[in-house]
Amino acid sequence: MSETTGVSIELEKVVKRYRGQDRPAVKELSIAIEAGETVAIVGPSGCGKTTTLKMINRLIEPTSGTVLIGGTDATAADADDLRQGIGYVVQAGGLFPHWTVERNVAAVPGLLGWDKERTRDRVTELLELVGLDPEQFRGRYPKEMSGGQQQRVGVARALAADPPVLLMDEPFGAVDPITRVRLQDQLLAIQEELHKTIVIVTHDVDEAIKLADRVLILSEGGQVEQYGTPEEILAAPANEFVEEFVGSGATLRHLSLTTVSDIPSAPVVLARPGDPSDEVAARARESGLNWVVVVDADDRPRAWPSVSEVLSKPVVSDYVDQRLPVAERTATLADALDVMLAASQGGVLVTQRGKVIGSLTIEQVANRIRERQALANPEQAADTYRAAP
Ligand SMILES: Nc1ncnc2c1ncn2[C@@H]1O[C@H](COP(=O)(O)OP(=O)(O)OP(=O)(O)O)[C@@H](O)[C@H]1O
Ligand SMILES: [Mg+2]
């Protein structure tokens, strides 16, 4: 894994009031995006997604409020300098129609005065990164390519000067479902390698859940309805608006259809009240764990202390934690997530007929969601195709 190359983005009470409109398109939006994070913005048409995105790179000037990029005030920076540090991908690629792929991708390096050779090498590298054969495509014009290919060129162009921030406005909107999944997977692979800070606007909740570390759900006027990880949003929608927005999504249904036993649980170290603490701690460390599960004579869970808690007494204490997060292996993932969130824990103990058999973390559930979507979507996409007239 490489280092984070992205920078943080903070919007503080950002307002956009378009001339001649009584109501602001965005009223007092405040959000923080961490360096290297992918945030997806979703919400109904006209709620202010594009406006918000464009205020980050000042294609639209905020009426008031502050935008901080990498901790510095973007509203005070020179707008052209600012934009060179921010890749921007618009719907359908937004390529210059009379320029070849090579020239389109090299647009920003050209502005930055890179020499021919460096530019050419960079174009080659980027086309490879987005999965287009450089020799085949560099001389083509946008109209000689499919929509998905054009969008990939759009992504390559946005990445050309290696900007720490990438803004994408419905970048995969205009392509068929199969290509869309491929482009999403490519973006995930690129992000794994480059760790940019990415803000992506999408209409598709499943796309948001698949791609983003955090999802921002907006309603009219750029009102924040919820801002959280996909797991939080799926398991604990903040209100009816969010519920309605994500409720019909396939992912939620999927979570309710998958059980805890479908995910291999992680091993746990068991201890019984009265066991010598240093012996228990040694076993935990041997397994690379910094906690143990205290169980009764029938392996039923009693407590889930950390090694340091255990070591604070000479022997394992006989304490019963009433709020222990526990899920039977037959429980659905949706229920397991509920238990985690109710207990404010990042995991649950997995039991089989009441006996502890392992543990499951929220990350494992999240990975599972991603894997399943990668597997399931091409099929769904193929079905959509077949069903189409
Ligand atoms: N240049 C403009 N002048 C006046 N009003 C505008 C302008 N651009 C956008 N608006 C209004 O601001 C609001 C937010 O628009 P915005 O384009 O940010 O929405 P959006 O969430 O991106 O919608 P969509 O999902 O349809 O792309 C809308 O009510 C829109 O009509
Ligand atoms: Mg828009």
Side-chain angles (χ1 to χ4, degrees), residues 44-51 91 169-170 201 203:
S45 184
C47 72
K49 302 181 296 293
T50 298
T51 303
Q91 185 156 358
D169 197 348
E170 304 204 32
V201 169
H203 266 110

Side-chain angles (χ1 to χ4, degrees), residues 72-212:
T72 53
D73 188 350
T75 38
D78 176 75
D80 288 332
D81 288 348
L82 177 74
R83 263 174 243 141
Q84 283 165 12
I86 301 179
Y88 185 53
V89 185
V90 294
Q91 185 156 358
L95 303 176
F96 302 118
H98 304 299
W99 286 12
T100 61
V101 165
E102 169 112 36
R103 219 177 142 198
N104 265 288
V105 176
V108 175
L111 287 175
L112 296 175
W114 291 17
D115 66 37
K116 257 189 171 167
E117 203 185 320
R118 182 174 174 205
T119 305
R120 196 182 158 78
D121 289 348
R122 183 67 179 151
V123 171
T124 304
E125 185 186 8
L126 285 163
L127 290 178
E128 278 168 1
L129 186 69
V130 299
L132 293 173
D133 175 10
E135 291 332 303
Q136 201 184 334
F137 284 97
R138 69 193 322 143
R140 289 214 201 166
Y141 289 91
K143 65 171 190 301
E144 298 166 338
M145 289 184 294
S146 73
Q149 289 165 343
Q150 288 181 40
Q151 287 193 310
R152 279 185 269 177
V153 176
V155 173
R157 182 177 63 176
L159 288 168
D162 200 19
V165 174
L166 197 57
L167 307 178
M168 311 179 94
D169 197 348
E170 304 204 32
F172 312 137
V175 295
D176 67 82
I178 293 175
T179 308
R180 190 179 177 113
V181 168
R182 279 200 203 118
L183 292 175
Q184 290 168 350
D185 291 343
Q186 226 149 25
L187 184 67
L188 284 173
I190 289 171
Q191 178 63 342
E192 184 129 320
E193 204 174 313
L194 303 180
H195 299 280
K196 304 286 182 193
T197 305
I198 299 180
V199 186
I200 178 168
V201 169
T202 172
H203 266 110
D204 178 349
V205 174
D206 285 322
E207 178 165 279
I209 285 165
K210 174 173 177 180
L211 296 177

Side-chain angles (χ1 to χ4, degrees), residues 6 23 33 43 51 54 133 142 183 208 217 225 256 321 326 365 383:
R23 279 195 282 177
I33 298 169
T51 303
K54 286 183 168 173
D133 175 10
L183 292 175
I217 300 181
E225 297 294 340
S256 307
D321 182 355
V326 177
V365 178
D383 284 342

